């Protein structure tokens, strides 16, 4: 049993920022992390060529700036270095390899009771905390859709979180499933490494440049969102032209409103759209089933692939250990 004032679950950017802010007020805390390092998403589960999608002014943690000469879009390695420096500055020492397994609020004692399991020896600690901070992220577990026949696929089938680079896919036919930021960038990366690449684009998406998103985020502080959206959509149409004939449809809602209402981000083009227009990346619609190497699509096409990358996003697993309806 361990008594703490604040228990923070997760040592990602959000958990580290919370720890630093508490330190500023001399409020004691304990931070527990299931992995053996902080920011595990960035260190272990992100592809090599990843840069922050948003300009640095929108991705800074409280009380510490990026170095003066940092590029506008911070590469993964620099972001990890920044987080390491941040932890050193605020002397943040997470309890690694401790996974929170359950938590409940005691209404009489007005405190949380949280059980964490140490992953090596299996020993559990029961934390009694006045406050619980849930910083376990939205990217906790891989989301892989159920596709009939997937088990019969003989080639490599991996989730985007395990994709590092296209090096090992050179000369292979690869299908990327999912067209968010990860899927679109992985498709580009595969082509640069000499893979014959196709991508499944099912839902409508906004394709933008990172500079346009930066402009949109800056303008949205001064103008109504629908006005900003109209401007962004006009400029993207001018830059990319009509993409619907390449299988990329635009949502009815504008990009900023979509982000604020549903949380869905626009896709930042890293060069993928150009490759699609030139026919170097093939766009496919929905998959109906898989039979061995053959993937069957709703349009009737049947195409053989050597490997599949699921860029189908993540699930939060917080609901597995935080059983609350609402404590407000
Ligand atoms: C490929 C990719 C690119 C992205 N690019 C950007 C970007 O450019 N800009 C941006 O703002 N956002 C971006 N994001 C969004 C991303 O979610 C954030 O960047 C950021 O990592 C979220 O921080 P977080 O601390 O909330 O969660 P995370 O970074 O996911 O950290 C949560 C931590 O909690 C730990 N944890 C989970 N469950 C438990 C448990 N039960 N017990 C103990 N520990 C637990 C996890 O191991 C993890 O280390 C990107 C995401 C991805 C996947
Ligand atoms: C590349 O993949 C497409 C299917 O998406 C296929 O029609 C074509 O033959 C492949 N090309 C090579 C060189 O393998």
């Amino acid at each position: 049993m361990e008594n703490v004032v604040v228990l923070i679950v997760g040592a990602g950017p959000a958990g580290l920022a919370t720890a630093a802010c508490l330190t500023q007020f001399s409020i004691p805390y304990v931070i527990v992390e299931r992995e053996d390092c902080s920011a595990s998403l960035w260190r272990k589960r992100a592809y090599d060529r990843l840069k922050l999608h948003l300009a640095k002014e929108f991705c800074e943690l409280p009380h510490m700036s990026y170095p003066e000469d940092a590029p506008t879009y911070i590469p993964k390695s620099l972001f990890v270095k920044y987080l390491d420096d941040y932890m050193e500055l605020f002397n943040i020492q997470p309890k690694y390899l401790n996974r929170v397994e359950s938590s409940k609020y005691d209404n009489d004692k007005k405190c949380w009771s949280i059980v964490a399991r140490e992953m090596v020896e299996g020993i559990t600690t029961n934390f009694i905390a006045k406050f619980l901070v849930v910083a376990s992220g939205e990217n906790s577990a891989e989301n892989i859709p159920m596709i009939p026949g997937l088990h019969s696929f003989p080639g490599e089938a991996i989730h985007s979180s395990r994709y590092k680079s296209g090096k090992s896919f050179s000369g292979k036919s690869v299908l990327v499933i999912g067209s968010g930021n990860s899927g679109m960038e992985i498709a580009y990366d595969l082509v640069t490494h000499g893979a014959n690449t196709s991508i499944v684009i099912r839902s409508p998406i906004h394709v933008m440049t990172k500079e346009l998103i930066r402009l949109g985020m800056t303008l949205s502080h001064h103008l109504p969102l629908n006005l900003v959206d109209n401007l962004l959509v006009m400029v993207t149409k001018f830059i990319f032209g009509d993409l619907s004939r390449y299988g990329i449809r635009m949502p009815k809602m504008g990009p900023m409103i979509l982000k604020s209402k549903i949380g869905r981000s626009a896709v930042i083009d890293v060069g993928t759209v150009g490759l699609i227009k030139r026919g170097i990346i093939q766009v496919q619609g929905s998959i109906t089933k898989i039979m061995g190497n053959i993937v069957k699509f709703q349009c009737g096409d049947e195409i053989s692939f050597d490997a599949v990358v699921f860029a189908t996003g993540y699930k939060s697993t917080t609901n597995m250990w935080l059983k609350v309806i609402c404590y407000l």
Side-chain angles (χ1 to χ4, degrees), residues 34 41-42 44-47 137-144 159-163 182 186 310-317:
R34 65 180 177 185
L41 181 66
W42 291 88
K44 294 187 172 177
R45 293 182 280 143
Y47 43 90
E138 295 285 307
N139 306 81
S140 184
E142 303 171 350
N143 180 45
I144 295 185
H159 186 261
S160 60
S161 59
R162 286 190 277 143
Y163 179 96
S182 295
I186 287 171
F310 284 98
T312 37
Y314 293 85
K315 301 186 271 224
S316 163
T317 52

Side-chain angles (χ1 to χ4, degrees), residues 63-233:
H63 309 301
M64 190 180 124
S65 299
Y66 288 109
E68 280 289 326
D69 58 352
T72 308
Y73 298 94
I74 310 268
K76 178 174 84 165
S77 57
L78 191 61
F79 185 57
V80 167
K81 166 86 173 54
Y82 169 77
L83 295 177
D84 282 336
D85 293 345
Y86 194 80
M87 288 173 71
E88 200 180 312
L89 181 64
F90 295 100
N91 191 25
I92 302 169
Q93 295 177 11
K95 280 186 192 286
Y96 292 121
L97 294 169
N98 272 281
R99 189 179 61 206
V100 168
E101 293 191 334
S102 71
S103 63
K104 57 175 187 284
Y105 189 70
D106 188 327
N107 246 327
D108 300 327
K109 295 191 187 136
K110 300 270 176 273
C111 64
W112 288 90
S113 169
I114 301 130
V115 177
R117 184 180 297 277
E118 199 274 336
M119 311 288 284
V120 182
E121 309 269 324
I123 300 163
T124 58
T125 310
N126 190 3
F127 291 98
I128 306 294
K130 203 158 167 41
F131 301 98
L132 169 68
V133 176
V134 179
S136 43
E138 295 285 307
N139 306 81
S140 184
E142 303 171 350
N143 180 45
I144 295 185
M146 305 271 258
I147 299 175
L150 176 60
H151 63 275
S152 74
F153 187 75
E156 192 175 357
I158 58 165
H159 186 261
S160 60
S161 59
R162 286 190 277 143
Y163 179 96
K164 295 289 169 209
S165 97
K167 229 184 264 167
S168 59
F169 297 97
S170 173
K172 294 187 176 167
S173 282
V174 186
L175 178 64
V176 178
I177 302 176
S179 55
N181 273 306
S182 295
M184 293 291 264
E185 185 155 12
I186 287 171
Y188 180 85
D189 191 58
L190 283 164
V191 171
T192 62
H193 285 91
N196 183 14
T197 308
S198 300
I199 186 166
V200 172
I201 304 184
R202 235 173 35 168
S203 332
I205 48 173
H206 282 289
V207 179
M208 300 219 281
T209 65
K210 52 189 188 328
E211 292 76 17
L212 263 181
I213 293 196
R214 186 187 193 187
L215 176 73
M217 287 177 76
T218 310
L219 287 181
S220 65
H221 292 307
H222 311 285
L223 297 171
L225 282 191
N226 61 342
L227 213 69
V228 179
D229 272 347
N230 288 344
L231 181 78
L232 292 181
V233 167

Side-chain angles (χ1 to χ4, degrees), residues 13 30 38-39 51 55 63 87 93 105 108 110 132 211 233 249 272-273 281 306 319 326:
V30 166
S38 65
K51 290 187 175 129
H63 309 301
M87 288 173 71
Q93 295 177 11
Y105 189 70
D108 300 327
K110 300 270 176 273
L132 169 68
E211 292 76 17
V233 167
R249 290 165 296 135
T272 316
V273 170
I281 294 176
D306 303 314
N319 59 333
C326 183

Side-chain angles (χ1 to χ4, degrees), residues 234-290:
M234 210 168 72
V235 180
T236 48
K237 277 188 180 154
F238 179 75
I239 296 175
F240 294 109
D242 177 17
L243 293 177
S244 63
R245 62 188 159 129
Y246 302 103
I248 304 177
R249 290 165 296 135
M250 205 185 257
K252 290 207 171 66
M253 243 185 252
M256 302 298 291
I257 291 182
L258 205 59
K259 177 75 192 172
S260 73
K261 286 221 166 120
I262 315 177
R264 190 188 305 154
S265 305
V267 174
I268 295 160
D269 180 47
V270 293
T272 316
V273 170
L275 296 177
I276 288 173
K277 282 182 172 173
R278 285 157 61 200
I280 294 170
I281 294 176
Q282 287 91 37
V283 175
Q284 306 292 348
S286 297
I287 297 173
T288 52
K289 64 176 164 182
I290 295 179

